[in-house]
Amino acid sequence: MDKLLIRPSPFYDESLSGYISRLTTLNSYDHFSWIYIKAGLTMKNDVAIEYTDKIAPSRISLTSLSNLTDISEQ
């Protein structure tokens, strides 16, 4: 699996979508969808589903995102 070149830790109060947006910017990607796809996170009609990390964070598998960033799922 590819690793992101720039892999900062998420901020304590940062949402999942905010973190992915920041990763997208820091790694100079054109669109956040690349990270969502590589991390196996849900998207619908090319728009990230914002509510997933606020309503049911325990239902989201962060294993692939953890592998992309080398940051623990916790």
Side-chain angles (χ1 to χ4, degrees):
M1 174 175 278
D2 298 323
K3 300 279 186 196
L4 297 178
L5 184 61
I6 300 171
R7 303 180 301 254
S9 295
F11 297 130
Y12 176 76
D13 60 347
E14 190 169 35
S15 69
L16 177 60
S17 56
Y19 180 56
I20 290 176
S21 177
R22 191 161 58 94
L23 288 173
T24 301
T25 301
L26 291 172
N27 283 281
S28 300
Y29 294 131
D30 292 331
H31 200 269
F32 59 84
S33 63
W34 186 89
I35 295 174
Y36 271 88
I37 291 166
K38 286 287 190 184
L41 298 170
T42 304
M43 294 188 64
K44 184 175 183 179
N45 298 328
D46 203 34
V47 175
I49 297 177
E50 300 272 339
Y51 65 83
T52 55
D53 57 328
K54 295 177 182 163
I55 292 178
S58 62
R59 293 184 178 180
I60 299 172
S61 173
L62 299 177
T63 302
S64 293
L65 182 60
S66 178
N67 290 334
L68 283 174
T69 60
D70 275 339
I71 296 172
S72 169
E73 291 181 51
Q74 276 80 22

